[in-house]
Amino acid sequence: MPLLALSIHRAFAVAVLSAACAHPAWALTSFEDVKRDFRSSDTAVLDRNGELLQRVRTDATVRRGQWIALADVSPALRTAMVLSEDRRFYEHSGIDWRAVSSAAWSNLWNTRTRGASTITMQLSGLLDEDLRRASGGRSFTQKIGQTVAATQLERNWRKDQILEAYLNTVPFRGEIVGIDALSRTLFSKAPSGLDAREAAVAAALVRAPNAKPALVAQRACEVLRAMEPERKVDCDAIDMFTSAAVQRRAFDANEGIAPHAARRVLREMRDAAATNPAAPQKGRDTSVRTTLRAPLQRFALDSLQRHLRELRDRHVEDGALVVLDNASGEVLAWVGSSGPLSHAAEVDGVTALRQPGSTLKPLLYGQAIAEKRITAASLIEDSSAQISTASGLYIPQNYDRQFKGPVSARTALAASLNVPAVRTLVMVSPESFARSLRAAGLPLRESGDYYGYSLALGSAEVSLLSLANAYRMVANGGRYGTTTLTAQPPASAADKAKAAAVAPLLDPRAAFIVGDILSDPNARTRTFGLDSILSTRFWTAVKTGTSKDMRDNWAVGWSQRYTVGVWVGNASGASMWDVSGTSGAAPVWAEVMRFLHAREPSRAPAPPAGLVEARVEFGPAADGNAIEAARSEWFLQGTEQPLFALDTGMATDAFAARITAPSDGTIIALDPDIPPLRQRVRFESEGRGVQWRIDGKPFARGNNAQWLPWPGRHVIELVDASGKVVDQRKLEVRGAGVVTKSARR
């Protein structure tokens, strides 16, 4: 070694030793700490068992992949990196004194060289912000500190740990940091699969991360020659390869099989952190575990996409699917769109608001049965109806534009007849039904009177998730519960007892009857036939629905353990062509149900207390035959009867006696400029032998009456011939009114 270089060597060593003495407690982290604190720029969304479902970019400032163990890095890359950055890496103890001397001698004579910074020294600069290289290079103090830190790293870390940490933290090009992000961005593969040519380009980028492609290619060619000295290297080919590689961006910001669920769960985490800053922060984690099942998610996505391909010629592009665990409310599958088949793949069909069509009918009939307005055997007329509303006559029609005459409520619901559903809503009232829907989690934007009687046919907009959860409520005996996408600790016995003590939103007996109707293949034959896609070999209850102008098609139902909801249509709102309740969403629903119960039974629920099973017969129709065949039917205790006919018994009274005007919740404003006697409210009803009561006092007899209102809140009741209240409306009168005593009577 030349004398001058030796002197420089000794002087530098003295400076290093002096710095080490001056800073004996130089901060040094452990390999385990570095690995633990490593943060990917992506968040890995996992299923309940830890399997990767989706990768989502959550840090826009840098591009990091996952931490890669050295054993998972290709041998070619390890070789290329050592040859390019630190040939004597496995020989020195952090400082390559030969390289230091050579660099010093070259700098003295203004000769450019590769420098004396070892991999260990570079790593120390990456780990310590105080030692990090600035745009103008490192100061002498930083270089001394870097040298001391490298010495300590070598003393406390193994060589394989140093190289592994370096490969995971070294910047490559632009925003890319670490070998995983580089491999997936530039070469579309994992680091374990990099070949010699790709490894040479990667090593060349460390030396000049943002250099022009030609310079990177030149450096890569030199590295490849050092790696394979016995082989002739085609530098022109490497130049072409490098130019293409450095422009590639194959590492998508978001990839996987559950993009919408991933965004939803990450948004929920951010919202939770924002509302409770004092809570432990999980946002630094680069993975989050969900309640989803990866095999089920894959099957559901495949089933939906496969079926939508078959419906392309019917102008169907989009779809969505959700699977809920009945007991816990955990979301087991969440398919927000048809992905590449859609022109609006970013729209989440699970949470988008759409018209549900006939899928609201089970909730309507459940409420009517719970309020004892009808039974499952009550006869409801399926015939042309003209219902007076504030905006004119409402004339509902059935899907096939035909009428079936008198049918039982069981048949009306299972066969999805529209007119009987509207007549049932007349009994319940739109406002009362709307309140029940909101209580069940359905996000109705307007009042029940705004939707009117079309609410029975699904004129309000709801999401697939909220609708499926409302069906889950019915499956759970009327008990409402929220859904969750994030894994939760098992509920304690106290929490379970508390949840069980909450009163159900829907009478468990009515919920059971609705489930029994929707699981009855015989009851749905008038519309769906005997051999329907809705019939499964195990117990399920299901309802389909189609919105106005065939814009949406739904199938929602439950088994003993699961609730499955499927929607197909077009995110744009365009109409489908010739898609029925059984050809749209139902086949996907049936496939997913079969997958769920391939090895798991589903049995019918046990009837709750307070139900009576009784034999019923039906009176004759116009042709002299029985309206429906005799059968065994479920009743709320006290509502059972042996015969249902058009002119006798509960069927006539429960159906025919009802208030048709005014609507429940009506607000009447008195105008002081109009004489009070001219501000009358007209009462209208259907049924025979009825009379009116206002605030508990008799008012008038017959189907029509006119009432002179006075300010306040009032209850209008309709009473049948036996004195039983069969329907009521609540209304409010506002403003100052002058009325006579006779008018009050």
Side-chain angles (χ1 to χ4, degrees):
M1 180 181 296
L3 182 59
L4 181 59
L6 183 60
S7 299
I8 295 172
H9 179 175
R10 289 174 178 172
F12 192 78
V14 170
V16 170
L17 293 174
S18 299
C21 293
H23 303 279
W26 202 296
L28 178 66
T29 186
S30 68
F31 172 77
E32 289 73 20
D33 290 339
V34 171
K35 185 176 180 180
R36 185 189 64 244
D37 294 338
F38 178 86
R39 292 290 176 259
S40 171
S41 61
D42 304 327
T43 296
V45 179
L46 312 176
D47 85 333
R48 64 198 304 117
N49 297 315
E51 184 175 340
L52 180 64
L53 289 170
Q54 192 76 28
R55 182 177 49 76
V56 182
R57 177 79 176 267
T58 50
D59 185 350
T61 62
V62 72
R63 191 64 162 133
R64 290 194 191 94
Q66 300 299 312
W67 182 277
I68 303 298
L70 190 61
D72 294 328
V73 177
S74 74
L77 179 60
R78 282 179 272 168
T79 300
M81 201 63 69
V82 171
L83 286 174
S84 174
E85 294 301 306
D86 192 354
R87 288 176 179 269
R88 286 177 287 277
F89 172 69
Y90 291 103
E91 301 170 16
H92 62 66
S93 299
I95 305 171
D96 186 351
W97 293 112
R98 290 172 57 186
V100 169
S101 301
S102 177
W105 183 262
S106 298
N107 290 335
L108 181 64
W109 295 100
N110 293 321
T111 304
R112 299 191 64 181
T113 184
R114 66 164 292 278
S117 181
T118 64
I119 285 178
T120 313
M121 293 171 67
Q122 292 181 52
L123 178 61
S124 66
L126 295 171
L127 299 182
D128 190 335
E129 290 187 3
D130 294 334
L131 303 178
R132 196 154 296 168
R133 181 186 181 94
S135 57
R138 291 186 178 88
S139 66
F140 181 75
T141 303
Q142 283 182 311
K143 291 179 179 178
I144 297 299
Q146 186 184 32
T147 304
V148 173
T151 304
Q152 292 186 353
L153 274 175
E154 290 279 353
R155 187 179 301 123
N156 293 279
W157 290 25
R158 301 190 311 269
K159 286 287 188 180
D160 63 317
Q161 293 176 331
I162 293 172
L163 185 56
E164 180 176 320
Y166 177 74
L167 290 173
N168 281 285
T169 57
V170 65
F172 281 97
R173 188 174 185 85
E175 64 177 2
I176 301 172
V177 173
I179 193 60
D180 187 45
L182 176 81
S183 300
R184 297 185 185 277
T185 302
L186 268 58
F187 308 120
S188 305
K189 60 173 66 173
S192 60
L194 296 183
D195 58 25
R197 182 175 58 173
E198 293 161 341
V201 173
L205 285 169
V206 173
R207 183 71 55 84
N210 297 312
K212 293 182 178 179
L215 185 59
V216 177
Q218 180 182 346
R219 175 61 184 156
C221 190
E222 295 173 3
V223 174
L224 193 57
R225 282 174 177 155
M227 294 173 63
E228 301 176 346
E230 74 287 346
R231 176 171 163 250
K232 184 177 180 180
V233 177
D234 186 348
C235 290
D236 291 336
I238 292 180
D239 183 74
M240 294 177 59
F241 174 77
T242 304
S243 297
V246 296
Q247 297 178 44
R248 190 178 297 125
R249 292 292 181 269
F251 196 19
D252 293 335
N254 191 349
E255 65 178 1
I257 59 173
H260 301 89
R263 286 198 291 267
R264 171 83 173 205
V265 74
L266 292 177
R267 185 167 60 250
E268 288 178 354
M269 290 175 62
R270 287 194 299 268
D271 292 345
T275 56
N276 188 12
Q281 297 297 311
K282 297 183 179 180
R284 284 178 56 82
D285 293 344
T286 56
S287 67
V288 56
R289 188 166 297 214
T290 68
T291 58
L292 300 178
R293 294 181 183 175
L296 174 62
Q297 179 75 14
R298 277 190 293 271
F299 180 86
L301 178 60
D302 176 72
S303 177
L304 182 66
Q305 290 181 341
R306 179 165 26 86
H307 186 63
L308 287 175
R309 289 189 185 96
E310 297 173 0
L311 292 176
R312 274 179 174 174
D313 59 346
R314 300 191 189 184
H315 199 233
V316 183
E317 180 179 282
D318 296 293
L321 184 150
V322 68
V323 180
L324 305 177
D325 183 283
N326 289 343
S328 65
E330 292 179 335
V331 181
L332 305 180
W334 181 306
V335 181
S337 81
S338 56
L341 304 180
S342 172
H343 286 91
E346 295 300 309
V347 176
D348 189 350
V350 174
T351 57
L353 298 179
R354 311 283 299 199
Q355 288 189 343
S358 295
T359 54
L360 292 187
K361 290 177 183 175
L363 305 174
L364 170 62
Y365 281 90
Q367 181 175 347
I369 292 171
E371 294 175 356
K372 298 184 179 180
R373 298 182 183 277
I374 61 172
T375 72
S378 295
L379 294 176
I380 306 177
E381 187 69 29
D382 181 26
S383 60
S384 179
Q386 298 183 1
I387 302 173
S388 298
T389 67
S391 57
L393 291 177
Y394 177 59
I395 307 175
Q397 296 287 335
N398 285 324
Y399 182 81
D400 59 4
R401 301 285 178 175
Q402 297 179 359
F403 299 108
K404 308 296 189 297
V407 295
S408 69
R410 174 177 288 271
T411 299
L413 173 56
S416 197
L417 303 178
N418 287 346
V419 177
V422 173
R423 293 185 187 275
T424 301
L425 182 57
V426 171
M427 294 182 246
V428 172
S429 88
E431 186 57 38
S432 177
F433 184 41
R435 285 196 298 268
S436 297
L437 293 178
R438 289 193 193 93
L442 296 173
L444 270 64
R445 294 175 171 175
E446 308 291 345
S447 66
D449 289 336
Y450 173 86
Y451 300 110
Y453 297 113
S454 65
L455 186 58
L457 310 182
S459 60
E461 292 184 330
V462 303
S463 68
L464 177 61
L465 180 63
S466 63
L467 183 62
N469 196 42
Y471 272 58
R472 173 178 160 255
M473 176 197 71
V474 181
N476 287 335
R479 295 188 182 277
Y480 175 79
T482 57
T483 61
T484 180
L485 249 178
T486 53
Q488 304 291 332
S492 64
D495 290 338
K496 291 180 179 179
K498 184 178 179 180
V502 176
L505 289 179
L506 178 65
D507 189 320
R509 300 171 298 174
F512 174 87
I513 292 174
V514 168
D516 187 67
I517 293 173
L518 296 182
S519 65
D520 184 355
N522 294 321
R524 66 171 76 102
T525 54
R526 287 200 178 190
T527 298
F528 300 98
L530 288 171
D531 187 20
S532 168
I533 190 71
L534 303 176
S535 299
T536 56
R537 299 179 65 181
F538 45 90
W539 187 90
T540 53
V542 60
K543 183 73 184 72
T544 62
T546 304
S547 69
K548 183 180 179 182
D549 296 329
M550 209 171 289
R551 289 189 173 92
D552 311 275
N553 186 258
W554 310 71
V556 189
W558 69 93
S559 63
Q560 184 179 7
R561 183 174 176 184
Y562 307 104
T563 296
V564 177
V566 182
W567 165 83
V568 299
N570 294 294
S572 64
S575 297
M576 299 174 286
W577 301 337
D578 192 28
V579 175
S580 68
T582 54
S583 65
V588 181
W589 178 89
E591 272 192 10
V592 172
M593 270 297 186
R594 286 196 295 269
F595 179 85
L596 288 166
H597 289 285
R599 296 180 179 83
E600 188 174 353
S602 177
R603 300 181 178 88
L611 275 179
V612 175
E613 188 176 17
R615 181 77 175 174
V616 296
E617 295 182 354
F618 297 90
D623 59 4
N625 296 318
I627 294 173
E628 291 187 11
R631 64 172 182 261
S632 180
E633 188 59 88
W634 292 101
F635 296 92
L636 273 64
Q637 194 167 22
T639 64
E640 67 273 17
Q641 64 182 63
L643 176 65
F644 287 81
L646 292 178
D647 56 350
T648 61
M650 182 178 174
T652 299
D653 294 340
F655 161 65
R658 59 182 177 271
I659 299 173
T660 58
S663 300
D664 192 43
T666 296
I667 298 176
I668 301 168
L670 296 176
D671 190 335
D673 295 330
I674 300 176
L677 294 178
R678 295 185 179 275
Q679 299 187 64
R680 296 179 182 272
V681 178
R682 182 176 177 83
F683 295 163
E684 298 179 357
S685 69
E686 294 181 358
R688 295 194 298 268
V690 296
Q691 59 180 318
W692 298 90
R693 288 199 310 213
I694 300 179
D695 298 331
K697 298 178 181 180
F699 170 66
R701 293 180 178 274
N703 295 112
N704 300 303
Q706 290 193 357
W707 174 58
L708 191 63
W710 64 90
R713 292 186 173 90
H714 307 284
V715 178
I716 313 301
E717 295 174 320
L718 189 68
V719 183
D720 64 12
S722 65
K724 178 183 176 182
V725 176
V726 294
D727 203 359
Q728 72 172 19
R729 296 287 186 270
K730 294 180 180 180
L731 51 84
E732 180 180 354
V733 180
R734 297 177 181 175
V738 179
V739 295
T740 63
K741 290 184 179 180
S742 60
R744 291 176 180 266
R745 291 195 296 267

